[in-house]
Amino acid sequence: MSFASPVFLWFFMPATLVAYWVLPRRWRNGLVSIASLLFYTWGAGAYTFLLLSAIAVNYTAGLLIDADRYADRRRVRRAVLWAAVAFDLGILAIWKYAGFASQQVGALSSALGLGGSPVIELALPIGISFFTFHHLSYVVDVYRQSRRAQRSPVQFVTYIAMFPQLVAGPIVRYHEISDQLADTDRNRLDDFALGFPRFAWGLAKKVVIADTIAPVADAAFASADGDMTTSAAWLGALAYTLQLYFDFSGYSDMAIGLGLMIGFKLPENFDRPYSAASITDFWRRWHMSLSRWFRDYVYIPLGGNRHGAAKTYRNLIIIFVATGFWHGANWTFLVWGVYHGALMLVERRSGWGVVTSTGPALVFRRALTFLLVVIGWVFFRAESMGQAMNVLHAMFVPSGLGLPDAVSASLTNTRSVVLLLALLVVLLPGSFVLGRVLEAGRSWRSSATRFAVMAFAGPYAAVLVAAGTFSPFLYYQF
């Protein structure tokens, strides 16, 4: 069930909110838990049992790690932690990476003349990367004693399965939300008034902008194996750059808005990433909840930047290899991660990652960073390394200014206008984040913005959804 679907917008969300308003406060988490499991079952079917199994294992592990009888037995606590981590990563390895690994084994076997080998084919459970990271955050936070284990099964299910963030984030570290789980003393109408404009803005970003641009990117990349020209390559790369941002940030806005409507403050996930003045700055602004997760649970435990340049560079490469493969089992994602990791190393070595420039120098830095990010998105979007290299070759080796027929047909007047307007996001000040303006208080600017979103942008997006023009969110596949 997608947030941008008629079933969700006109049945599931209203029914959940009405129940949230009329039921006693102490039932709030129970309602969210049940609604979240129904939401997941709608899209995942039998894979709900996989989610429930992971919930049961990690809930039990947390209780064991935090048990008083093991308070002075660090070896026992550590053994339980590693068992839970192995279980969580094992689920991810089997369901997300086993097929890819078997393909590589088969290809190597064929290359060595040993014949083919079976290829494992498993459907990817939606949201598996996200709920796995939530489980890992929980057991590690409890082990570190930054938070006590969750005694209430209902509150634990609420944290893991909360439908606003279950299938595509933001990734919520346990210590960020543990106190909120026990706080049911909220004003329901105030929650709705705060969250609905943010949700409506996210819906408009997804349906009005991202889905409108998507056919242009699809047509351009589809031409990569045929008559792709330089113009088509750059058009496709830019279209996908904007589509991905408005799709994913739109989802994040909707998730944050939904969280507010049911009484939870979820972490921000985007901070105008295309205004970044370095790749280091970009990763402080793009998918921030993922960056924070890797920083807290991988980079810092590896030593961070505390043990000299060589180990710092090693740790950065490990992080970005993991980031690439977290997004998908494909060489294109690995190359994308290594590409960003290499750029981070260059910036760390040269000092370019520290942004102190102003005026024309800052404009140049932003333009260069945006160009580097666009190049990276080619790997992220391509279905294979061959397709990625074809697109990049066309981008940097002149091969004509015309557009293939399919790409030209996709570039309608409406899509051209939306594409140009979406490109303006690159030019806006780096400190301007409209989602935060919607929650910024009672100033006339915030009030006017909320009115415009709720009176025009949101309803127009809802009309497009009713007309059947929505598509699944891109990050559902991760």
Side-chain angles (χ1 to χ4, degrees):
M1 190 189 310
S2 170
F3 293 167
S5 67
V7 172
F8 183 87
L9 291 176
W10 291 300
F11 296 98
F12 182 86
M13 185 174 74
T16 301
L17 291 177
V18 169
Y20 172 75
W21 291 330
V22 301
L23 290 176
R25 295 179 187 273
R26 65 181 181 277
W27 292 7
R28 187 187 72 175
N29 285 330
L31 167 66
V32 174
S33 297
I34 293 171
S36 298
L37 292 175
L38 289 173
F39 174 86
Y40 191 77
T41 302
W42 183 281
Y47 284 120
T48 303
F49 292 107
L50 179 66
L51 171 62
L52 291 173
S53 299
I55 287 174
V57 168
N58 285 276
Y59 173 74
T60 303
L63 293 178
L64 291 174
I65 293 171
D66 198 39
D68 291 338
R69 65 180 180 274
Y70 298 137
D72 297 325
R73 301 176 65 182
R74 185 175 181 183
R75 292 180 62 182
V76 174
R77 297 175 65 248
R78 181 179 294 176
V80 175
L81 169 68
W82 282 113
V85 169
F87 175 83
D88 294 329
L89 294 181
I91 287 179
L92 198 60
I94 292 171
W95 294 103
K96 190 167 185 175
Y97 302 109
F100 175 76
S102 67
Q103 290 174 2
Q104 308 315 307
V105 170
L108 179 61
S109 178
S110 297
L112 295 176
L114 301 177
S117 61
V119 174
I120 299 173
E121 295 184 1
L122 295 173
L124 181 66
I126 60 173
I128 187 171
S129 297
F130 291 91
F131 70 69
T132 297
F133 271 28
H134 286 134
H135 281 130
L136 292 171
S137 170
Y138 171 72
V139 293
V140 172
D141 281 357
V142 173
Y143 176 79
R144 290 175 174 175
Q145 298 181 328
S146 62
R147 291 295 185 275
R148 297 299 303 268
Q150 181 56 253
R151 262 61 185 176
S152 167
V154 172
Q155 290 187 24
F156 186 70
V157 173
T158 301
Y159 164 56
I160 298 297
M162 188 188 304
F163 70 89
Q165 50 79 34
L166 174 59
V167 295
I171 298 172
V172 185
R173 294 165 295 172
Y174 181 64
H175 62 264
E176 292 178 301
I177 202 171
S178 60
D179 293 339
Q180 297 183 52
L181 293 170
D183 179 14
T184 59
D185 189 20
R186 301 289 185 108
N187 186 308
R188 294 162 174 79
L189 293 180
D190 283 353
D191 292 340
F192 179 81
L194 190 63
F196 185 75
R198 189 72 181 266
F199 176 85
W201 173 234
L203 180 66
K205 289 167 74 173
K206 160 63 176 171
V207 177
V208 179
I209 302 177
D211 287 354
T212 300
I213 296 172
V216 180
D218 293 343
F221 275 84
S223 70
D225 299 323
D227 55 349
M228 171 165 276
T229 62
T230 297
S231 296
W234 279 103
L235 177 64
L238 286 172
Y240 182 71
T241 296
L242 297 171
Q243 176 201 357
L244 181 62
Y245 169 71
F246 282 100
D247 187 284
F248 191 23
S249 69
Y251 178 93
S252 295
D253 284 327
M254 296 172 77
I256 291 169
L258 284 167
L260 290 170
M261 284 190 276
I262 59 174
F264 292 98
K265 178 66 175 176
L266 302 181
E268 294 290 340
N269 216 17
F270 289 88
D271 188 12
R272 294 292 323 291
Y274 292 158
S275 67
S278 68
I279 295 298
T280 304
D281 190 26
F282 173 79
W283 279 103
R284 294 191 187 108
R285 298 169 177 267
W286 176 272
H287 203 174
M288 297 187 294
S289 64
L290 179 65
S291 299
R292 289 189 293 258
W293 194 97
F294 273 118
R295 179 196 66 197
D296 288 356
Y297 302 116
V298 182
Y299 182 71
I300 291 177
L302 285 173
N305 57 1
R306 301 189 302 273
H307 302 295
K311 290 186 177 180
T312 298
Y313 300 157
R314 178 205 64 184
N315 296 341
L316 284 172
I317 287 296
I318 290 173
I319 289 298
F320 279 97
V321 167
T323 299
F325 262 136
W326 179 87
H327 282 86
N330 195 314
W331 290 112
T332 55
F333 292 117
L334 174 62
V335 171
W336 171 76
V338 172
Y339 169 78
H340 273 272
L343 292 175
M344 290 280 283
L345 294 188
V346 171
E347 290 189 351
R348 181 65 66 96
R349 183 69 177 175
S350 65
W352 183 268
V354 179
V355 181
T356 58
S357 305
T358 58
L362 180 60
V363 173
F364 172 76
R365 288 178 62 107
R366 285 181 57 169
L368 177 60
T369 302
F370 182 69
L371 173 64
L372 293 173
V373 169
V374 170
I375 293 170
W377 288 141
V378 172
F379 294 105
F380 198 86
R381 170 59 177 81
E383 297 178 0
S384 66
M385 283 300 300
Q387 187 183 69
M389 297 312 297
N390 287 343
V391 174
L392 290 171
H393 182 271
M395 288 171 67
F396 293 101
V397 178
S399 56
L401 298 179
L403 296 176
D405 291 341
V407 179
S408 181
S410 72
L411 196 64
T412 63
N413 290 336
T414 299
R415 290 170 185 161
S416 298
V417 171
V418 172
L419 184 63
L420 290 174
L421 291 176
L423 195 58
L424 294 177
V425 73
V426 179
L427 304 178
L428 292 173
S431 59
F432 178 79
V433 181
L434 187 58
R436 294 175 183 172
V437 173
L438 295 171
E439 303 173 22
R442 301 182 181 277
S443 69
W444 70 267
R445 291 182 178 86
S446 296
S447 299
T449 303
R450 285 193 290 268
F451 176 79
V453 167
M454 290 189 291
F456 301 106
Y460 179 59
V463 169
L464 293 180
V465 170
T469 60
F470 70 95
S471 63
F473 288 91
L474 293 176
Y475 261 66
Y476 274 18
Q477 64 186 299
F478 305 134

